[in-house]
Amino acid sequence: MENQQVSPGKFAVNYGLILGLVIVLISVIMYVTGMQLEGVQWPIYLYYLIFLGFIFYAVSQFKKQNNGFLSIGESIKVGVVVAVISALVFGVYNIIFNYVIDPEFTSQVMDVTREKMLENPNMTEEIVDQSMEWVEMFSSPWIMTAYWLALSAFFGLLYSLIAGAIMKQKPHGA
């Protein structure tokens, strides 16, 4: 029986889809419960931990599937593909959410953000207006999706590099 080489990219797609669904689920829960509008952050921090764990888990499963062999390059491929696929899943959801599900949500968030800024006695109306221009510019679903994709790819690279360094196959006799 011949050993078939496992492709890191193809292997990672399913893990990326699952991780993408996890962030979509967290986002839906935050929206439905009102946490998103209130600016509650702990579910996002929870996702960051899940993201880290998922990258390590996917790399370890790839190594297991690959008969115990793992190179740093394979680890990076697995981690980056998982991260990018999950970001694309979330990006599609984010665009659908902002254009179909609740097109007014972004303006509601902007209003809440403005109110919170004005509660700060050190912020003048002028400073708030300037800050809101920046917030508005970066609140486009397309910009947010690109930003999420870039951050996910970066952290996928970083975490998979660490995972690969920890789990890589050591040469015999070393």
Side-chain angles (χ1 to χ4, degrees):
M1 184 183 264
E2 218 175 282
N3 281 343
Q4 286 189 324
Q5 191 72 12
V6 180
S7 163
K10 288 181 181 177
F11 176 85
V13 169
N14 288 336
Y15 288 94
L17 291 171
I18 294 167
L19 185 58
L21 292 175
V22 168
I23 186 60
V24 167
L25 181 63
I26 289 171
S27 185
V28 167
I29 290 169
M30 288 179 66
Y31 173 71
V32 169
T33 60
M35 287 191 279
Q36 205 167 16
L37 196 55
E38 294 169 11
V40 176
Q41 293 296 307
W42 70 263
I44 297 302
Y45 299 140
L46 176 64
Y47 173 73
Y48 295 153
L49 290 174
I50 293 169
F51 182 91
L52 171 65
F54 223 84
I55 297 293
F56 270 75
Y57 181 73
V59 169
S60 73
Q61 290 305 299
F62 175 79
K63 179 180 178 179
K64 184 178 175 182
Q65 187 93 20
N66 204 29
N67 298 319
F69 293 101
L70 178 72
S71 69
I72 298 281
E74 290 170 328
S75 175
I76 289 171
K77 286 178 191 171
V78 169
V80 170
V81 169
V82 168
V84 167
I85 295 292
S86 71
L88 289 172
V89 168
F90 181 71
V92 168
Y93 162 76
N94 187 41
I95 289 166
I96 291 170
F97 177 82
N98 281 285
Y99 288 110
V100 178
I101 297 171
D102 192 349
E104 299 300 314
F105 187 74
T106 301
S107 64
Q108 291 173 340
V109 170
M110 301 278 284
D111 292 343
V112 169
T113 303
R114 182 179 191 71
E115 287 173 25
K116 286 186 180 184
M117 283 182 180
L118 288 171
E119 288 174 6
N120 182 345
N122 297 326
M123 297 204 61
T124 65
E125 187 81 34
E126 212 171 82
I127 293 171
V128 170
D129 288 342
Q130 287 177 331
S131 299
M132 290 307 295
E133 285 178 27
W134 281 96
V135 169
E136 189 173 340
M137 185 170 57
F138 288 105
S139 67
S140 154
W142 295 98
I143 302 261
M144 287 177 13
T145 297
Y147 180 71
W148 189 260
L149 184 62
L151 276 180
S152 293
F154 174 75
F155 283 104
L157 173 69
L158 180 66
Y159 296 156
S160 62
L161 181 61
I162 294 167
I166 292 169
M167 293 183 238
K168 75 177 182 170
Q169 177 65 32
K170 306 265 190 285
H172 294 292

